[in-house]
């Protein structure tokens, strides 16, 4: 089983166990799309709180918001929350750009996420892994 197939299976199981977790839904969608499968994000929105972060990223993946709108929605009066939201936005937009074959912009955003995300965020690890996969030293 490939790493992508394993990740898709793991995120599928996580999304089944926690259908109200938007992060599991987002990661499952991205792994499904990367493997060429049809995503299930639209159905997942029935159980997600679409009024709070990271709902803008969900909406972007559904074609309802642009990456610029997701970046703007990451704003928060709490600097730590804003930093975390921007970290996540940059990684999710990079993945979205990669799916759209906007490789230069994806690479730029992976670099931003790898340098700006708090080290304890999964998105930090994902950005570093993406850069490594692309043969770029973070």
């Amino acid at each position: 089983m490939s790493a992508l197939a394993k990740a898709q299976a793991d995120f599928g199981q996580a999304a089944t166990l926690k259908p109200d977790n938007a992060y599991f839904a987002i990661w499952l969608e991205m792994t499904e799309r990367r493997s060429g499968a049809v995503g299930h994000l639209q159905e997942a929105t029935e159980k997600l709180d679409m009024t709070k972060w990271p709902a803008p990223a969900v909406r972007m993946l559904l074609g309802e918001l642009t990456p610029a709108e997701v970046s703007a929605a990451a704003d928060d009066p709490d600097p730590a929350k804003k930093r975390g939201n921007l970290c996540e936005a940059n990684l999710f937009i990079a993945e979205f750009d990669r799916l759209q074959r906007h490789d230069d912009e994806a690479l730029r955003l992976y670099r931003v996420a790898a340098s700006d995300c708090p080290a304890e965020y999964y998105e930090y690890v994902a950005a570093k892994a993406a850069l490594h996969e692309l043969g770029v030293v973070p």
Side-chain angles (χ1 to χ4, degrees):
M1 178 181 282
S2 73
L4 181 59
K6 174 130 178 49
Q8 185 176 338
D10 289 346
F11 287 125
Q13 183 176 20
T16 298
L17 293 171
K18 292 273 208 173
D20 61 340
N21 186 304
Y23 293 97
F24 293 153
I26 289 168
W27 284 105
L28 176 59
E29 179 75 8
M30 289 190 296
T31 57
E32 287 173 334
R33 288 191 189 184
R34 282 191 75 187
S35 69
V38 175
H40 294 88
L41 191 57
Q42 184 65 53
E43 294 87 14
T45 61
E46 296 170 15
K47 305 249 171 141
L48 303 178
D49 183 346
M50 296 300 288
T51 65
K52 65 180 188 177
W53 186 263
V58 172
R59 287 195 168 99
M60 175 188 66
L61 291 168
L62 293 173
E64 298 171 7
L65 292 179
T66 66
E69 291 170 317
V70 173
S71 292
D75 194 21
D76 195 281
D78 176 348
K81 182 76 170 146
K82 180 178 180 175
R83 181 178 182 214
N85 289 354
L86 284 172
C87 159
E88 293 170 354
N90 285 328
L91 190 279
F92 295 148
I93 294 167
E95 288 289 320
F96 180 73
D97 281 337
R98 196 167 175 193
L99 290 168
Q100 306 278 328
R101 302 212 188 279
H102 301 153
D103 297 334
D104 289 342
E105 183 61 7
L107 182 58
R108 184 186 75 76
L109 289 171
Y110 285 135
R111 285 184 169 134
V112 170
S115 68
D116 293 354
C117 285
E120 67 272 12
Y121 273 57
Y122 293 116
E123 290 77 13
Y124 169 81
V125 174
K128 293 267 190 178
L131 289 170
H132 179 72
E133 181 182 346
L134 294 169
V136 177
V137 176

